[in-house]
Amino acid sequence: MQKFFGAKPTAARKALLLGAGFVVNPTLTLLSEAGVEVTVACRTLESAKQICEAVRNANPISLDVQDEAALDAEVEKVDVVISLIPYTYHPLVIKSAIRKKVHVVTSSYISPAIAELEKEIQDAGITVMNEIGLDPGIDHLGAIKIIDEVHKASGKILSFKSFCGGLPAPEASANPLGYKFSWSARGMLLALGNTARFYQDGHIKEVPGPELMSVAQPYETEHRGYAFVAYPNRDSTPFREKYQIPEAQTIIRGTLRYAGFPQVIRCIVDMGFLSQDTQDFLQHSSTPLPWKEATAKILNATSSSEQDLIQAIDSKHSFADTDKKDRTAEKKRIIAGLRWIGLFSDDPITPRSTPLDTLCATLEKKMAYEDDERDLVFLQHRFEIEHQDGKRETRTSTLVDYGDPKGYSAMAKLVGIPCGVAVLQVLDGKLSKGLLAPYTPEICDPLRAELEKRGITMKEETVA
């Protein structure tokens, strides 16, 4: 069991931890070391038992959060519920917590469905703490620190850009996408369909999801060993208010990937592989189609020969990228990538009803982490600051962290540990009641201090 120094035993308190994902273990370990009695609930008892194995103060149970009576029965036994299940289920958990007057912590954004519960949360006198993982979470803690310092010195934040990537370490990135999955391939691919909105030079810009990869640009960082590209992610415009930077003319939050990723994804999108439409030929079968035939049907190609498949791709996708590279070389690279995935092969598909889910089944097999491989998290804020005397400064705040093949991945640690720290603060009564997220120094400063004790910190530098 991996140790995170700084946890101190407390009086016996109880928590219900919902989830079976990779971030659960670091959260459980931290709480166990602090003496918190944790009930780990998964849909299957076997999953919960595996998580609890060799962990003190951990009790596995089977629980379906959609069973209101069963959920209420477990919630009323504890002091706090940690919801690390998909965000769509958080409102069910919070409603149960309201009924039983129990606190809640999640690592997810405050969704509209959660926001609608704010008055009920206040009336119940409970704390519902959200957005305390990596992104969102650690990113907020680093941003609020610098924004608060600049404002206290009567300065202005003219521009705020924040990009985060969960990636394989460079030595583990040798595939056409430069990417591996430590979580759902479906979630990653669906995120590519979200429209991006952001402020740029005082104006709101909007990029529809299908065009997202077309606006990806090389990301210049002082860390010269990385070849990143960056693209905007979802809606950044609310952060002008959330971060209290009305003076900022540019506000962009986005995602980092390795160079080459956008071009391959653009081709996959144009081929129709992000479709969620159910197809008869992708249904479960004792004799599933070979990939080349499934690809031919998705493309409406004249045959399943590689030549005809490539011709069909040519009719749907332009291989000339934004950097004006040689079209032939770029096409060769992307086609080689599709071949590597297996889309032109005789290998049988794993049918999952839709093009998206059937592709995900293959990607999750071909692009999984090997036992000896590690992941990388790179998070960087870039501030353009105008000081009271008119002088300007470019300041960065950066987190670089690698996973441990014999322990936790960087992503698991950097989501799970902040969540666990927030749970301890809730149990210690250090957070106020109500619907919360880390957007103020009063919330952020103590959380950041606790994470620094555990070796999780963002490094600040003036670069211009």
Side-chain angles (χ1 to χ4, degrees):
M1 184 170 67
Q2 200 163 340
K3 295 284 186 178
F4 291 94
F5 59 86
K8 296 180 179 179
T10 60
R13 291 169 291 181
K14 297 181 179 180
L16 174 64
L17 198 166
L18 305 172
F22 67 98
V23 304
V24 167
N25 293 93
T27 305
L28 175 61
T29 298
L30 187 148
L31 296 176
S32 171
E33 291 177 0
V36 179
E37 295 179 7
V38 184
T39 298
V40 177
C42 303
R43 291 181 67 92
T44 65
L45 181 59
E46 189 58 36
S47 294
K49 285 181 176 179
Q50 289 177 3
I51 292 168
C52 293
E53 188 176 353
V55 180
R56 293 181 298 111
N57 305 316
N59 175 48
I61 65 168
S62 172
L63 178 65
D64 181 355
V65 297
Q66 297 181 84
D67 183 335
E68 184 177 298
L71 179 60
D72 282 357
E74 295 302 329
V75 168
E76 69 180 351
K77 297 176 185 177
V78 300
D79 303 298
V80 61
V81 181
I82 307 116
S83 188
L84 295 176
I85 53 182
Y87 76 94
T88 51
Y89 295 108
H90 292 335
L92 293 177
V93 175
I94 294 171
K95 287 176 182 177
S96 177
I98 290 169
R99 291 191 291 270
K100 299 302 178 181
K101 293 183 168 50
V102 170
H103 307 301
V104 179
V105 175
T106 86
S107 60
S108 303
Y109 285 106
I110 296 176
S111 66
I114 292 176
E116 289 177 359
L117 300 173
E118 183 167 14
K119 186 177 186 305
E120 294 176 59
I121 291 168
Q122 291 173 339
D123 292 344
I126 63 174
T127 298
V128 178
M129 178 65 179
N130 305 272
E131 304 188 27
I132 187 60
L134 168 62
D135 177 5
I138 294 173
D139 58 343
H140 295 333
L141 307 186
I144 294 299
K145 176 180 183 293
I146 290 179
I147 291 168
D148 185 51
E149 290 173 353
V150 170
H151 283 172
K152 282 181 176 177
S154 300
K156 298 177 181 179
I157 304 294
L158 302 181
S159 172
F160 172 76
K161 297 179 181 179
S162 176
F163 291 94
C164 184
L167 298 157
E171 72 274 9
S173 64
N175 68 55
L177 289 171
Y179 193 81
K180 292 201 171 182
F181 294 101
S182 57
W183 62 301
S184 163
R186 191 177 204 273
M188 187 277 278
L189 291 175
L190 281 179
L192 299 174
N194 294 319
T195 294
R197 297 179 78 242
F198 51 92
Y199 286 106
Q200 188 164 27
D201 299 327
H203 302 286
I204 292 179
K205 304 288 186 180
E206 189 167 294
V207 181
E211 299 174 19
L212 204 56
M213 293 298 97
S214 299
V215 301
Q217 296 291 328
Y219 183 75
E220 296 295 332
T221 171
E222 293 68 36
H223 296 70
R224 302 300 179 190
Y226 301 113
F228 292 137
V229 292
Y231 54 89
N233 180 15
R234 305 198 184 208
D235 190 358
S236 300
T237 59
F239 287 88
R240 180 181 267 183
E241 179 180 353
K242 289 180 178 180
Y243 283 175
Q244 299 182 48
I245 46 174
E247 73 275 20
Q249 298 301 294
T250 295
I251 301 175
I252 302 174
R253 288 162 49 90
T255 300
L256 294 176
R257 293 288 181 256
Y258 287 128
F261 177 92
Q263 293 84 355
V264 177
I265 289 293
R266 278 174 54 203
C267 186
I268 288 172
V269 170
D270 289 347
M271 290 170 69
F273 273 105
L274 263 58
S275 170
Q276 298 180 67
D277 295 337
T278 299
Q279 301 292 343
D280 290 341
F281 62 89
L282 298 178
Q283 300 304 310
H284 177 73
S285 169
S286 58
T287 55
L289 289 176
W291 252 118
K292 65 181 182 183
E293 291 186 22
T295 300
K297 289 179 179 292
I298 291 168
L299 288 170
N300 291 318
T302 55
S303 83
S304 63
S305 72
E306 183 169 314
Q307 181 179 350
D308 285 342
L309 294 177
I310 293 173
Q311 186 174 355
I313 293 169
D314 256 325
S315 70
K316 294 175 178 289
H317 177 73
S318 171
F319 288 93
D321 71 4
T322 54
D323 293 324
K324 307 299 182 185
K325 293 179 182 176
D326 178 75
R327 184 180 185 277
T328 301
E330 185 67 1
K331 177 180 177 179
K332 183 177 180 180
R333 183 182 73 83
I334 293 173
I335 292 298
L338 302 178
R339 190 180 295 116
W340 180 89
I341 293 171
L343 301 186
F344 309 148
S345 73
D346 290 313
D347 296 340
I349 63 171
T350 302
R352 290 188 180 174
S353 300
T354 71
L356 171 66
D357 292 302
T358 302
L359 176 63
C360 287
T362 291
L363 293 181
E364 287 168 359
K365 291 178 183 176
K366 297 214 64 162
M367 298 169 63
Y369 281 92
E370 301 291 340
D371 289 342
D372 60 346
E373 291 180 336
R374 57 183 186 158
D375 68 327
L376 161 71
V377 166
F378 190 99
L379 166 64
Q380 185 171 75
H381 301 321
R382 185 174 294 266
F383 302 84
E384 299 297 334
I385 300 166
E386 182 177 88
H387 294 288
Q388 185 180 24
D389 61 5
K391 291 182 180 179
R392 299 222 174 165
E393 174 193 358
T394 301
R395 190 184 308 176
T396 60
S397 180
T398 308
L399 171 66
V400 182
D401 197 274
Y402 286 91
D404 178 359
K406 297 181 180 179
Y408 299 131
S409 69
M411 184 63 73
K413 181 178 75 174
L414 296 175
V415 175
I417 296 306
C419 183
V421 166
V423 171
L424 293 180
Q425 293 210 342
V426 168
L427 289 172
D428 290 340
K430 294 180 179 178
L431 292 174
S432 61
K433 304 298 189 290
L435 181 61
L436 306 179
Y439 290 123
T440 66
E442 291 74 21
I443 294 176
C444 291
D445 291 352
L447 287 167
R448 190 177 58 255
E450 287 300 315
L451 291 181
E452 287 174 355
K453 292 178 185 177
R454 293 166 171 82
I456 298 174
T457 185
M458 297 189 72
K459 181 180 179 181
E460 296 177 11
E461 292 183 278
T462 295
V463 296

